[in-house]
Amino acid sequence: MEHQELDEEILYTVAQTFKALGDPTRIRILHLLAQRECSVTEIAETLHLKQSTVSHQLAVLKSLRLVKFRREGTTLYYSHDDDHVIQLLEQTIDHVSHK
């Protein structure tokens, strides 16, 4: 079977996605959003983080299409954007938790 090179743009985006998933705060946020949709305030309160920290991390996750949002009045509600990423995250958690 012949080796097929990855497109440079795909390669870069994959690396950026793994880099984003390498941050404990972003993992915590994604893990929460895999369970339910939340506002920035709900995420901050649930994970005991500052709202500014949550907003910054959500911007990173949104730029990689790992989270999405919907607006209800003046409040933004975030959820995960791709089941593939959540499956990868859950499989990794299972792998690390496996004894």
Side-chain angles (χ1 to χ4, degrees), residues 31-87:
H31 187 253
L32 174 61
L33 295 179
Q35 297 168 51
R36 69 177 198 267
E37 180 183 67
C38 295
S39 68
V40 172
T41 302
E42 291 170 322
I43 296 168
E45 289 174 357
T46 301
L47 300 180
H48 309 288
L49 298 168
K50 294 180 183 178
Q51 283 193 15
S52 60
T53 300
V54 171
S55 294
H56 172 74
Q57 300 300 347
L58 286 170
V60 172
L61 294 170
K62 187 173 168 278
S63 73
L64 292 165
R65 296 181 303 130
L66 301 178
V67 298
K68 61 185 175 183
F69 69 90
R70 69 174 179 85
R71 183 180 300 274
E72 191 173 297
T74 58
T75 304
L76 299 178
Y77 290 93
Y78 287 85
S79 59
H80 71 278
D81 194 16
D82 190 337
D83 286 333
H84 295 107
V85 173
I86 297 305
Q87 289 171 4

Coordinates of all heavy atoms in Angstrom, one line a residue, residues 31-87:
H31 N -15.4 18.4 28.3 CA -16.0 17.3 29.1 C -17.4 17.7 29.6 O -18.4 17.0 29.5 CB -15.1 16.8 30.2 CG -15.6 15.6 30.9 ND1 -16.1 15.6 32.1 CD2 -15.6 14.3 30.5 CE1 -16.5 14.4 32.5 NE2 -16.2 13.6 31.5
L32 N -17.5 18.9 30.1 CA -18.7 19.5 30.6 C -19.7 19.6 29.5 O -20.9 19.2 29.6 CB -18.5 20.8 31.4 CG -19.8 21.5 31.8 CD1 -20.6 20.7 32.8 CD2 -19.4 22.9 32.4
L33 N -19.2 20.2 28.4 CA -20.1 20.5 27.3 C -20.6 19.2 26.5 O -21.6 19.2 25.8 CB -19.5 21.5 26.3 CG -19.2 22.9 26.9 CD1 -18.6 23.8 25.8 CD2 -20.5 23.5 27.4
A34 N -19.8 18.1 26.7 CA -20.3 16.8 26.2 C -21.5 16.3 27.0 O -22.3 15.5 26.4 CB -19.1 15.8 26.3
Q35 N -21.6 16.8 28.2 CA -22.8 16.4 29.0 C -24.0 17.3 28.9 O -25.1 16.8 29.0 CB -22.3 16.3 30.5 CG -21.2 15.3 30.7 CD -20.5 15.5 32.1 OE1 -21.2 15.5 33.1 NE2 -19.2 15.6 32.1
R36 N -23.7 18.6 28.7 CA -24.9 19.5 28.6 C -24.4 20.8 28.0 O -23.3 21.2 28.1 CB -25.6 19.7 30.0 CG -24.7 20.5 31.0 CD -25.5 20.7 32.3 NE -25.0 21.7 33.1 CZ -24.1 21.5 34.1 NH1 -23.7 20.3 34.3 NH2 -23.7 22.5 34.8
E37 N -25.4 21.5 27.5 CA -25.2 22.9 27.0 C -25.1 23.8 28.2 O -25.8 23.7 29.2 CB -26.4 23.3 26.1 CG -26.4 24.6 25.5 CD -27.6 24.9 24.7 OE1 -28.7 25.0 25.3 OE2 -27.5 25.1 23.5
C38 N -24.2 24.8 28.1 CA -24.0 25.7 29.2 C -23.7 27.2 28.7 O -23.1 27.3 27.7 CB -22.8 25.3 30.1 SG -23.0 23.8 31.0
S39 N -24.0 28.1 29.6 CA -23.6 29.5 29.3 C -22.2 29.7 29.9 O -21.7 28.8 30.7 CB -24.5 30.5 30.0 OG -24.4 30.4 31.4
V40 N -21.5 30.8 29.6 CA -20.2 31.0 30.2 C -20.3 31.1 31.7 O -19.4 30.5 32.4 CB -19.6 32.4 29.6 CG1 -18.4 32.7 30.3 CG2 -19.4 32.3 28.1
T41 N -21.3 31.7 32.2 CA -21.5 31.8 33.7 C -21.6 30.4 34.3 O -21.0 30.1 35.3 CB -22.7 32.6 34.0 OG1 -22.6 33.9 33.5 CG2 -22.9 32.7 35.5
E42 N -22.4 29.5 33.6 CA -22.6 28.1 34.2 C -21.3 27.4 34.1 O -21.0 26.6 35.1 CB -23.7 27.4 33.3 CG -25.1 27.9 33.5 CD -26.1 27.3 32.6 OE1 -25.7 27.1 31.4 OE2 -27.2 27.0 33.0
I43 N -20.5 27.5 33.0 CA -19.2 26.8 32.9 C -18.3 27.3 34.0 O -17.7 26.5 34.7 CB -18.6 27.1 31.6 CG1 -19.5 26.4 30.5 CG2 -17.2 26.5 31.5 CD1 -19.1 26.8 29.0
A44 N -18.2 28.6 34.2 CA -17.4 29.2 35.2 C -17.7 28.7 36.6 O -16.9 28.4 37.4 CB -17.4 30.8 35.1
E45 N -19.0 28.8 36.9 CA -19.5 28.3 38.3 C -19.2 26.8 38.5 O -18.8 26.4 39.5 CB -20.9 28.7 38.5 CG -21.2 30.1 38.6 CD -22.7 30.5 38.7 OE1 -23.5 29.6 38.5 OE2 -23.0 31.7 38.8
T46 N -19.6 26.0 37.5 CA -19.4 24.6 37.6 C -18.0 24.1 37.8 O -17.6 23.3 38.6 CB -20.0 23.8 36.4 OG1 -21.4 24.2 36.3 CG2 -19.9 22.3 36.5
L47 N -17.1 24.8 37.0 CA -15.7 24.4 37.0 C -14.8 25.3 37.9 O -13.6 25.1 37.9 CB -15.1 24.4 35.5 CG -15.8 23.5 34.6 CD1 -15.2 23.6 33.2 CD2 -15.8 22.1 35.0
H48 N -15.4 26.2 38.6 CA -14.7 27.1 39.5 C -13.6 27.9 38.8 O -12.4 27.9 39.2 CB -14.2 26.3 40.7 CG -15.2 25.5 41.4 ND1 -16.2 26.0 42.2 CD2 -15.4 24.2 41.4 CE1 -17.0 25.1 42.6 NE2 -16.5 23.9 42.2
L49 N -14.0 28.5 37.7 CA -13.1 29.3 36.9 C -13.6 30.7 36.8 O -14.8 31.0 36.9 CB -12.9 28.7 35.5 CG -12.4 27.3 35.3 CD1 -12.6 26.7 33.9 CD2 -10.9 27.2 35.7
K50 N -12.7 31.6 36.4 CA -13.1 33.0 36.2 C -13.8 33.0 34.8 O -13.4 32.3 33.9 CB -11.9 33.9 36.1 CG -11.2 34.1 37.4 CD -10.0 35.0 37.3 CE -9.3 35.1 38.6 NZ -8.1 36.0 38.5
Q51 N -14.8 33.9 34.7 CA -15.5 34.0 33.4 C -14.6 34.4 32.3 O -14.7 33.9 31.1 CB -16.7 35.0 33.5 CG -17.9 34.4 34.2 CD -19.1 35.3 34.1 OE1 -19.2 36.2 33.2 NE2 -20.1 35.0 34.9
S52 N -13.6 35.3 32.6 CA -12.7 35.7 31.5 C -11.8 34.5 31.0 O -11.5 34.4 29.8 CB -11.7 36.8 32.0 OG -11.0 36.4 33.2
T53 N -11.5 33.6 31.9 CA -10.7 32.4 31.6 C -11.6 31.5 30.6 O -11.1 31.0 29.6 CB -10.3 31.6 32.8 OG1 -9.5 32.4 33.6 CG2 -9.6 30.3 32.4
V54 N -12.8 31.3 31.0 CA -13.8 30.5 30.3 C -14.0 31.1 28.9 O -13.9 30.4 27.9 CB -15.1 30.3 31.0 CG1 -16.1 29.7 30.1 CG2 -14.9 29.6 32.3
S55 N -14.2 32.4 28.8 CA -14.4 33.1 27.5 C -13.2 32.9 26.6 O -13.3 32.6 25.4 CB -14.7 34.6 27.7 OG -15.9 34.7 28.4
H56 N -12.0 33.1 27.2 CA -10.8 32.9 26.4 C -10.6 31.5 25.8 O -10.3 31.3 24.7 CB -9.5 33.3 27.2 CG -8.2 33.0 26.6 ND1 -7.8 33.7 25.5 CD2 -7.4 32.0 26.7 CE1 -6.6 33.2 25.1 NE2 -6.4 32.1 25.8
Q57 N -10.9 30.5 26.7 CA -10.7 29.1 26.3 C -11.8 28.7 25.3 O -11.6 28.0 24.3 CB -10.8 28.2 27.5 CG -9.7 28.4 28.5 CD -8.3 28.2 27.9 OE1 -8.1 27.7 26.8 NE2 -7.3 28.7 28.7
L58 N -13.0 29.3 25.4 CA -14.1 29.0 24.5 C -13.7 29.6 23.1 O -14.1 29.0 22.1 CB -15.4 29.5 25.0 CG -16.1 28.8 26.1 CD1 -17.3 29.5 26.7 CD2 -16.5 27.4 25.6
A59 N -13.1 30.7 23.1 CA -12.7 31.3 21.8 C -11.7 30.4 21.1 O -11.8 30.2 19.8 CB -12.1 32.7 22.0
V60 N -10.8 29.8 21.8 CA -9.8 28.9 21.2 C -10.6 27.7 20.7 O -10.4 27.3 19.5 CB -8.7 28.4 22.2 CG1 -7.9 27.3 21.7 CG2 -7.9 29.6 22.7
L61 N -11.5 27.1 21.5 CA -12.2 25.9 21.1 C -13.1 26.2 19.9 O -13.3 25.4 19.0 CB -13.0 25.4 22.2 CG -12.2 24.8 23.4 CD1 -13.1 24.5 24.6 CD2 -11.4 23.6 23.0
K62 N -13.7 27.4 19.9 CA -14.6 27.8 18.8 C -13.8 28.0 17.5 O -14.3 27.6 16.4 CB -15.3 29.1 19.2 CG -16.4 29.5 18.2 CD -17.2 30.7 18.7 CE -18.1 31.3 17.7 NZ -17.3 32.2 16.8
S63 N -12.6 28.5 17.6 CA -11.8 28.8 16.4 C -11.5 27.5 15.7 O -11.2 27.4 14.5 CB -10.6 29.6 16.7 OG -9.6 28.7 17.4
L64 N -11.4 26.4 16.4 CA -11.1 25.0 15.9 C -12.4 24.2 15.6 O -12.3 23.0 15.3 CB -10.2 24.3 16.8 CG -8.8 24.9 16.9 CD1 -8.0 24.3 18.1 CD2 -8.0 24.6 15.6
R65 N -13.5 24.8 15.7 CA -14.9 24.2 15.5 C -15.1 23.0 16.5 O -15.7 22.0 16.1 CB -15.1 23.8 14.1 CG -15.1 25.0 13.1 CD -15.3 24.5 11.7 NE -14.3 23.6 11.2 CZ -14.6 22.4 10.6 NH1 -15.8 22.1 10.4 NH2 -13.6 21.6 10.3
L66 N -14.6 23.2 17.7 CA -14.8 22.2 18.7 C -16.0 22.5 19.6 O -16.5 21.6 20.2 CB -13.5 22.0 19.6 CG -12.2 21.6 18.9 CD1 -11.1 21.6 19.8 CD2 -12.4 20.3 18.1
V67 N -16.4 23.7 19.6 CA -17.6 24.1 20.3 C -18.4 25.1 19.4 O -17.8 25.7 18.5 CB -17.4 24.8 21.7 CG1 -16.7 23.9 22.7 CG2 -16.6 26.1 21.5
K68 N -19.7 25.1 19.7 CA -20.6 26.1 18.9 C -21.4 26.7 20.0 O -21.5 26.3 21.1 CB -21.4 25.3 17.9 CG -22.3 24.3 18.5 CD -23.0 23.5 17.4 CE -23.8 22.3 18.0 NZ -24.5 21.5 17.0
F69 N -22.1 27.8 19.6 CA -23.0 28.5 20.5 C -24.3 28.9 19.8 O -24.4 28.9 18.6 CB -22.3 29.7 21.1 CG -22.1 30.8 20.1 CD1 -23.1 31.8 19.9 CD2 -21.0 30.9 19.3 CE1 -22.9 32.8 19.0 CE2 -20.8 31.9 18.4 CZ -21.8 32.9 18.2
R70 N -25.3 29.1 20.7 CA -26.6 29.7 20.2 C -26.9 30.8 21.1 O -26.5 30.8 22.3 CB -27.7 28.7 20.2 CG -28.1 28.2 21.5 CD -29.3 27.2 21.5 NE -29.7 26.8 22.8 CZ -30.4 27.5 23.6 NH1 -31.0 28.6 23.3 NH2 -30.7 27.0 24.9
R71 N -27.6 31.8 20.6 CA -27.9 33.0 21.4 C -29.3 32.9 21.8 O -30.2 32.6 21.0 CB -27.7 34.3 20.6 CG -27.9 35.6 21.3 CD -27.7 36.8 20.4 NE -26.4 36.9 19.9 CZ -25.3 37.4 20.5 NH1 -25.5 37.9 21.7 NH2 -24.1 37.4 19.9
E72 N -29.6 33.2 23.1 CA -30.9 33.3 23.7 C -31.0 34.7 24.4 O -30.4 34.8 25.5 CB -31.2 32.2 24.6 CG -32.7 32.1 25.0 CD -33.0 30.8 25.7 OE1 -32.8 29.7 25.2 OE2 -33.4 30.9 26.9
G73 N -31.5 35.7 23.8 CA -31.5 37.0 24.4 C -30.1 37.5 24.3 O -29.4 37.6 23.3
T74 N -29.6 37.9 25.5 CA -28.2 38.3 25.6 C -27.2 37.2 26.0 O -26.0 37.5 26.2 CB -28.1 39.5 26.6 OG1 -28.5 39.1 27.9 CG2 -28.9 40.7 26.1
T75 N -27.7 36.0 26.2 CA -26.9 35.0 26.7 C -26.5 34.0 25.6 O -27.3 33.7 24.8 CB -27.6 34.2 27.8 OG1 -28.0 35.1 28.9 CG2 -26.8 33.1 28.4
L76 N -25.2 33.6 25.6 CA -24.8 32.6 24.7 C -24.7 31.3 25.4 O -24.1 31.2 26.5 CB -23.4 33.0 24.1 CG -23.2 34.3 23.4 CD1 -21.8 34.5 23.0 CD2 -24.1 34.3 22.1
Y77 N -25.2 30.2 24.7 CA -25.2 28.9 25.3 C -24.2 28.1 24.4 O -24.4 28.0 23.2 CB -26.6 28.3 25.3 CG -27.4 28.9 26.4 CD1 -28.2 30.0 26.1 CD2 -27.4 28.5 27.7 CE1 -29.0 30.6 27.0 CE2 -28.2 29.1 28.7 CZ -29.0 30.1 28.3 OH -29.7 30.7 29.3
Y78 N -23.3 27.4 25.0 CA -22.2 26.7 24.3 C -22.5 25.2 24.4 O -23.0 24.7 25.4 CB -20.9 27.0 24.9 CG -20.4 28.3 24.5 CD1 -20.7 29.4 25.2 CD2 -19.6 28.5 23.3 CE1 -20.3 30.7 24.8 CE2 -19.1 29.7 22.9 CZ -19.5 30.9 23.7 OH -19.1 32.1 23.3
S79 N -22.2 24.5 23.3 CA -22.2 23.0 23.3 C -21.1 22.5 22.5 O -20.4 23.3 21.7 CB -23.6 22.5 22.8 OG -23.8 23.0 21.4
H80 N -20.8 21.2 22.5 CA -19.7 20.7 21.7 C -20.2 20.7 20.2 O -21.4 20.6 20.0 CB -19.3 19.3 22.2 CG -20.3 18.2 21.9 ND1 -21.4 18.0 22.7 CD2 -20.4 17.3 20.9 CE1 -22.1 17.0 22.2 NE2 -21.5 16.6 21.1
D81 N -19.3 20.8 19.3 CA -19.6 20.9 17.9 C -19.4 19.7 17.1 O -19.8 19.6 16.0 CB -18.8 22.1 17.3 CG -19.4 22.5 15.9 OD1 -20.5 22.1 15.6 OD2 -18.7 23.2 15.2
D82 N -18.7 18.7 17.7 CA -18.4 17.5 16.8 C -18.3 16.3 17.7 O -17.5 16.2 18.6 CB -17.0 17.8 16.1 CG -16.7 16.7 15.1 OD1 -17.3 15.6 15.1 OD2 -15.9 17.0 14.2
D83 N -19.1 15.3 17.4 CA -19.1 14.1 18.2 C -17.8 13.3 18.1 O -17.4 12.6 19.0 CB -20.3 13.1 17.7 CG -21.6 13.6 18.2 OD1 -21.7 14.3 19.3 OD2 -22.7 13.3 17.6
H84 N -17.1 13.4 16.9 CA -15.8 12.8 16.7 C -14.8 13.2 17.8 O -14.1 12.3 18.4 CB -15.2 13.1 15.4 CG -16.0 12.5 14.2 ND1 -16.8 13.4 13.4 CD2 -16.2 11.3 13.8 CE1 -17.4 12.6 12.5 NE2 -17.1 11.3 12.7
V85 N -14.8 14.5 18.1 CA -13.8 15.0 19.1 C -14.2 14.5 20.5 O -13.4 14.1 21.3 CB -13.8 16.5 19.0 CG1 -12.9 17.1 20.2 CG2 -13.2 17.0 17.7
I86 N -15.5 14.5 20.8 CA -16.0 14.0 22.1 C -15.7 12.5 22.2 O -15.3 12.1 23.3 CB -17.5 14.3 22.3 CG1 -17.8 15.8 22.2 CG2 -18.0 13.7 23.5 CD1 -16.9 16.7 23.2
Q87 N -15.9 11.8 21.2 CA -15.5 10.3 21.2 C -14.0 10.2 21.5 O -13.6 9.3 22.3 CB -15.9 9.6 19.9 CG -17.4 9.5 19.8 CD -17.8 9.0 18.4 OE1 -17.0 8.7 17.5 NE2 -19.1 9.0 18.1

